[in-house]
C-alpha cells in the first residue's frame, strides 16, 4: 500500500517495521544520527573548516565513532588520507573599478557589491586597466555546436559571465543544454575553468538568485575569508589572476557604461551563434594581497572487509567539512553546518553501524568522510585522483549530503536522473517502500554537479545521489516546498544551520534504509552496474574496467 493512501501514524509504523524490498528493518540508529549531528555541529567544532582546530576535533571524533561502529582503518592501517591544501586569505582588497566608456567611473565594494578571489598561489594580485568583454554564458562546447568565445581574443582581459546554462528558463528538460536541468557548463567552477583556458586575466560572474540557486548572502559567506584550494605543482598559475562575482544591479551599471542594454544582451546570449561583446573603452582594475598557508587536511576512511571479493569495493561517502567562521549574523559568526553536512556524516556512521551488525558481505565496504567539499569538492577530487582502492575495482556507491528532516515523504528524487544503472536497483527499493520516483523539482540548480559523487563520476565510478521529494506524508507538496525554500533562504551556508532537538528523523530513516539496501545488494552481489549508454561518463568507465 502506497504511503499517500495511509495515515501518518501508519507511515511511521511502516518505517519502524520493515522495508518491503528487503523483508526486514536494517536498524539504522536514530540515536546515532542525533548524537553525531549534534556533536559535529556544536560550537565546539567551530564550523568544521579544514586545516583548523575544528578539523582536528572532527577527525578525532570520526575515528572514535568509526572504531565504535566496528570498522577497520581504511588506508593501509591508517584511518586517514592526507589531502594537501593551500589556503589563500585575501587582505587589503581594493574596490573593483570600471573606468572609461560612458558616464562616471563605477566602484564596487568588497562583500556588498562584489567578491573577489584567486586560484593562483601568489602574495599579490593586481588587475589594472584590463579590457572588459561580455562572453554570455562563457561556454565552449564543440559537441553542442556552441562557443561563446568564438571570434574573440580575451587573453589578458576581464570576462563577464552569466551563471547557469542558456536554456535554464525553459520549462521542459529539452534544449541545447538539457533545458531546465543544469549541465556542468552551468556551474561556476566550469566557467572559471574555461575562462582560464581562454587566457582571461579575470573572470567575473553576474549573480542572479534564481539561476544561481542561492542569494547573495550565500556568495558573500562562501567567498569571503580564507579560501582553500588543492596544493598542486605549479601553484595554479595557469588559472586566471582573479575570479569573482558581482551583484546583478552592479552588472546593469557596467553594461550601461559599455553602451549596452543589459536585458537585450542577456536575451541574445541565450541563442546559438551569440558573439561576445567587448565593452568599448571600459577598463577593469582590482588588487588584493593574499596570506598563504599550506597544510594537509584529511579524508577519514573506514572499511568492512569482504569475505570472497575483498578487492572489489562498494563506497559510501559524505563530506565532514563546513565553512567554519563566516559572515556574522545576529552576533553569530560560526557556520555550524548541522544539516550541511553533519547530518550526512552522521548517516555515514549510522549506516556503517548497521552494516557491521548485519555481518560481512562478499565485497569490501568503504566508508569515506571527505574534506573540503565546500571549497570545490577538493577532498573527494583528491581521493578520486589518488584512490586508496582502485577506481576500476570500485563497483559503485552512494553519496549523502544532508538528510530529510521534514518527516516522511511519499516520493523520492533521483538527482541527475538518467545517469546510471544504479537507478534501476534503487527504483525497485523505492517502490518497495510504497513510494514513487519523481523528477527533480529544481533541476536548474544543478545539484548533481555540486557534491562529492561528481568527483567519482568524472572518473567513471557510478555513484548514486538522491533524496526525499517534497510530497510529505504530513502536509503534502505545499509543506515540502515551504520547508525546502525556508532552508535555502534562511539557513543554507548561514550561522542559522544549527542542530534542532525537535527535528523529525523519520524521513531520514526512510531514505537511509534505501541507501543501506542499495549498498548491501552491491556488496553481496556479482554485478557491475554501468552508466547508461548515452551518459557522459560511460566511455571513461568502460576504459577503466578494461584496464586502459
Amino acid at each position: 500500500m502506497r504511503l499517500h493512501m495511509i495515515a501518518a501514524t501508519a507511515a511511521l509504523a511502516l518505517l519502524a517495521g520493515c522495508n518491503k524490498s528487503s523483508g526486514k528493518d536494517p536498524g539504522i540508529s536514530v540515536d546515532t544520527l542525533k548524537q553525531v549531528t549534534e556533536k559535529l555541529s556544536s560550537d565546539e567544532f567551530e564550523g568544521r573548516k579544514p586545516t583548523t582546530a575544528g578539523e582536528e576535533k572532527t577527525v578525532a571524533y570520526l575515528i572514535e565513532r568509526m572504531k565504535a561502529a566496528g570498522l577497520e582503518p581504511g588506508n593501509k592501517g591508517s584511518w586517514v588520507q592526507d589531502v594537501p591544501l593551500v589556503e589563500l586569505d585575501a587582505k587589503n582588497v581594493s574596490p573593483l573599478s570600471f573606468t572609461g566608456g560612458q558616464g562616471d567611473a563605477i566602484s564596487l565594494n568588497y562583500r556588498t557589491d562584489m567578491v573577489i578571489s584567486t586560484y593562483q598561489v601568489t602574495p599579490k594580485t593586481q588587475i589594472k586597466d584590463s579590457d572588459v568583454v561580455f562572453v554570455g554564458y562563457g561556454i565552449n562546447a564543440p559537441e553542442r555546436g556552441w562557443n561563446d568565445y568564438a571570434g574573440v581574443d580575451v587573453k589578458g582581459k576581464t570576462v563577464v559571465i552569466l551563471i547557469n546554462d542558456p536554456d535554464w528558463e525553459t520549462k521542459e528538460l529539452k534544449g541545447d543544454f538539457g533545458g531546465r536541468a543544469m549541465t556542468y557548463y552551468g556551474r561556476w567552477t566550469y566557467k572559471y575553468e574555461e575562462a582560464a583556458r581562454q587566457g582571461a586575466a579575470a573572470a567575473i560572474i553576474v549573480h542572479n538568485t534564481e539561476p544561481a540557486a542561492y542569494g547573495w548572502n550565500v556568495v558573500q559567506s562562501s567567498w569571503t575569508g580564507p579560501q582553500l584550494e588543492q596544493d598542486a605543482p605549479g601553484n595554479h598559475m595557469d588559472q586566471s589572476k582573479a575570479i569573482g562575482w558581482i551583484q546583478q544591479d552592479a552588472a546593469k551599471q557596467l553594461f550601461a557604461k559599455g553602451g549596452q542594454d543589459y536585458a537585450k544582451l542577456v536575451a541574445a546570449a541565450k541563442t546559438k551563434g551569440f558573439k561576445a561583446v567587448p565593452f568599448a573603452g571600459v577598463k577593469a582594475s582590482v588588487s588584493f594581497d593574499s596570506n598563504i598557508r599550506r597544510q594537509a587536511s584529511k579524508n577519514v576512511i573506514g572499511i568492512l572487509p569482504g569475505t570472497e571479493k575483498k578487492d572489489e569495493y562498494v563506497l559510501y561517502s559524505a563530506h565532514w567539512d563546513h565553512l567554519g567562521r563566516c559572515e556574522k549574523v545576529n552576533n553569530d559568526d560560526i557556520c555550524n553546518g548541522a544539516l550541511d553536512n553533519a547530518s550526512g556524516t552522521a548517516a555515514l556512521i549510522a549506516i556503517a553501524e548497521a552494516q557491521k551488525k548485519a555481518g560481512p558481505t562478499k565485497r569490501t565496504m568503504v566508508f569515506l568522510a571527505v574534506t573540503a567539499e565546500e571549497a570545490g569538492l577538493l577532498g573527494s577530487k583528491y581521493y578520486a585522483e589518488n584512490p586508496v582502492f582502485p577506481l576500476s575495482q570500485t563497483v559503485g556507491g552512494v553519496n549523502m549530503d544532508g538528510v530529510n528532516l521534514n518527516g516522511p515523504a511519499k516520493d523520492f528524487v533521483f538527482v541527475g536522473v538518467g545517469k546510471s544503472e544504479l537507478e534501476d536497483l534503487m527504483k525497485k527499493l523505492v517502490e518497495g517502500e510504497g513510494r514513487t520516483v519523481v523528477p527533480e523539482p529544481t533541476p536548474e540548480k544543478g545539484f548533481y554537479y555540486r557534491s562529492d559523487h561528481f568527483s567519482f563520476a568524472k572518473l567513471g565510478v557510478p555513484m548514486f545521489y538522491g533524496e526525499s521529494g517534497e510530497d510529505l506524508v504530513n502536509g503534502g507538496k505545499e509543506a515540502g516546498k515551504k520547508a525546502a525554500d525556508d532552508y535555502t533562504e534562511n539557513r543554507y551556508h548561514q550561522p542559522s544551520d544549527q542542530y534542532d532537538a525537535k527535528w523529525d528523523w523519520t524521513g531520514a530513516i526512510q531514505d537511509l534504509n534505501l541507501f543501506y539496501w542499495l549498498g548491501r545488494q552491491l556488496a553481496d552481489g556479482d554485478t557491475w552496474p554501468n552508466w547508461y549508454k548515452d551518459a557522459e561518463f560511460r566511455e571513461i568507465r568502460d576504459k577503466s574496467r578494461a584496464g586502459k
Side-chain angles (χ1 to χ4, degrees):
M1 177 164 54
R2 295 187 181 277
L3 289 179
H4 67 271
M5 299 171 63
I6 57 181
T9 52
L12 301 185
L14 173 63
L15 294 178
C18 70
N19 177 301
K20 291 184 179 180
S21 293
S22 63
K24 72 172 186 176
D25 173 17
I28 306 292
S29 170
V30 176
D31 286 341
T32 292
L33 293 172
K34 291 179 177 179
Q35 291 166 9
V36 177
T37 303
E38 183 175 17
K39 182 74 171 179
L40 290 177
S41 61
S42 67
D43 283 357
E44 173 191 357
F45 286 73
E46 301 181 72
R48 305 189 307 283
K49 187 176 180 67
T51 76
T52 67
E55 163 164 356
E56 294 178 13
K57 293 177 181 178
T58 300
V59 170
Y61 181 66
L62 290 178
I63 292 173
E64 174 189 325
R65 293 300 306 224
M66 285 188 177
K67 285 180 179 178
L71 303 187
E72 297 180 14
N75 187 11
K76 300 175 182 176
S78 172
W79 290 99
V80 299
Q81 177 191 41
D82 283 344
V83 179
L85 297 178
V86 59
E87 178 186 272
L88 300 175
D89 190 3
K91 301 294 183 182
N92 306 318
V93 181
S94 75
L96 172 60
S97 66
F98 297 98
T99 57
Q102 301 181 13
D104 297 335
I106 297 172
S107 182
L108 304 182
N109 293 321
Y110 186 49
R111 285 188 167 89
T112 54
D113 303 320
M114 63 86 174
V115 293
I116 201 77
S117 185
T118 184
Y119 290 136
Q120 293 189 358
V121 184
T122 180
K124 181 74 174 180
T125 298
Q126 184 170 33
I127 304 293
K128 185 168 179 60
D129 294 333
S130 169
D131 291 340
V132 179
V133 182
F134 173 60
V135 293
Y137 286 87
I139 294 171
N140 180 17
E143 78 284 3
R144 297 170 192 250
W146 196 288
N147 186 1
D148 288 326
Y149 290 95
V152 63
D153 182 3
V154 299
K155 290 182 175 64
K157 299 177 182 179
T158 294
V159 294
V160 179
I161 314 168
L162 300 174
I163 192 62
N164 213 307
D165 298 320
D167 52 8
W168 71 268
E169 289 183 283
T170 61
K171 299 304 178 185
E172 298 180 337
L173 302 182
K174 297 178 182 178
D176 290 316
F177 293 89
R180 188 70 171 165
M182 182 191 286
T183 68
Y184 187 58
Y185 291 115
R187 287 288 290 149
W188 57 264
T189 47
Y190 165 79
K191 295 178 189 297
Y192 294 139
E193 290 166 1
E194 188 58 42
R197 284 190 285 267
Q198 298 291 334
I204 307 296
I205 294 174
V206 178
H207 176 261
N208 185 354
T209 296
E210 187 178 0
Y214 36 74
W216 183 257
N217 61 331
V218 174
V219 176
Q220 189 179 61
S221 65
S222 303
W223 282 77
T224 55
Q227 302 291 302
L228 292 170
E229 184 51 73
Q230 190 171 332
D231 192 5
N235 288 326
H236 304 287
M237 299 305 288
D238 58 341
Q239 298 299 303
S240 298
K241 287 184 178 181
I243 55 175
W245 296 68
I246 60 174
Q247 292 260 36
Q248 189 176 42
D249 286 345
K252 292 177 180 178
Q253 295 178 46
L254 171 60
F255 278 55
K257 189 168 186 57
Q260 304 295 329
D261 183 285
Y262 178 78
K264 288 183 179 179
L265 274 192
V266 168
K270 297 179 185 299
T271 60
K272 185 176 288 189
F274 167 78
K275 300 297 183 184
V277 178
F279 289 173
V282 178
K283 305 287 186 179
S285 299
V286 70
S287 66
F288 54 94
D289 301 325
S290 293
N291 292 339
I292 301 170
R293 184 171 70 101
R294 286 181 162 91
Q295 183 174 331
S297 185
K298 289 176 170 56
N299 291 331
V300 185
I301 312 170
I303 62 171
L304 292 174
T307 56
E308 298 177 19
K309 300 178 179 180
K310 291 185 178 182
D311 60 349
E312 295 179 7
Y313 308 95
V314 174
L315 177 64
Y316 285 99
S317 63
H319 75 91
W320 60 254
D321 67 294
H322 200 56
L323 302 178
R325 294 191 178 272
C326 53
E327 202 74 15
K328 186 176 289 187
V329 179
N330 296 327
N331 210 35
D332 183 1
D333 71 344
I334 297 178
C335 278
N336 302 85
L339 179 64
D340 180 18
N341 186 36
S343 70
T345 308
L348 188 76
I349 300 299
I351 289 179
E353 289 177 345
Q355 297 286 13
K356 173 64 177 179
K357 289 177 182 177
T361 50
K362 294 179 181 178
R363 289 165 163 161
T364 295
M365 286 188 177
V366 180
F367 297 86
L368 176 63
V370 295
T371 183
E373 188 267 359
E374 301 290 4
L377 317 184
L378 301 184
S380 57
K381 179 177 183 289
Y382 186 81
Y383 179 95
E385 293 173 351
N386 303 273
V388 174
F389 306 107
L391 298 190
S392 62
Q393 292 300 108
T394 302
V395 179
V398 178
N399 181 54
M400 296 169 288
D401 197 349
V403 302
N404 172 18
L405 298 169
N406 301 319
K410 306 170 191 176
D411 52 2
F412 191 86
V413 173
F414 292 175
V415 178
V417 68
K419 297 292 186 185
S420 85
E421 293 167 355
L422 292 177
E423 295 173 25
D424 302 328
L425 299 176
M426 183 58 84
K427 188 172 187 293
K428 294 179 182 178
L429 293 172
V430 171
E431 292 174 346
E433 277 195 343
R435 301 167 72 185
T436 305
V437 176
V438 296
E440 281 184 82
T442 55
E444 72 280 4
K445 294 184 178 180
F447 285 124
Y448 191 80
Y449 307 97
R450 290 170 56 178
S451 194
D452 292 299
H453 57 278
F454 184 54
S455 295
F456 297 98
K458 284 197 296 185
L459 294 182
V461 178
M463 292 288 289
F464 182 83
Y465 186 48
E467 61 189 5
S468 285
E470 294 182 346
D471 194 0
L472 302 181
V473 170
N474 293 318
K477 295 179 181 178
E478 182 179 354
K481 187 177 188 308
K482 181 179 179 181
D485 290 346
D486 177 70
Y487 174 75
T488 300
E489 294 168 10
N490 299 314
R491 280 179 286 284
Y492 177 62
H493 281 201
Q494 300 297 305
S496 50
D497 184 6
Q498 297 184 354
Y499 179 80
D500 187 344
K502 297 178 182 178
W503 277 336
D504 182 349
W505 291 86
T506 53
I509 294 294
Q510 194 182 30
D511 292 349
L512 299 185
N513 285 348
L514 296 173
F515 300 155
Y516 170 94
W517 285 113
L518 179 61
R520 194 81 189 175
Q521 286 183 10
L522 292 174
D524 256 340
D526 301 310
T527 60
W528 286 84
N530 204 339
W531 301 96
Y532 294 135
K533 289 185 178 180
D534 58 351
E536 59 265 54
F537 314 112
R538 175 65 181 250
E539 184 178 358
I540 300 170
R541 180 61 164 182
D542 288 345
K543 288 181 178 179
S544 172
R545 290 287 295 138
K548 296 180 181 178

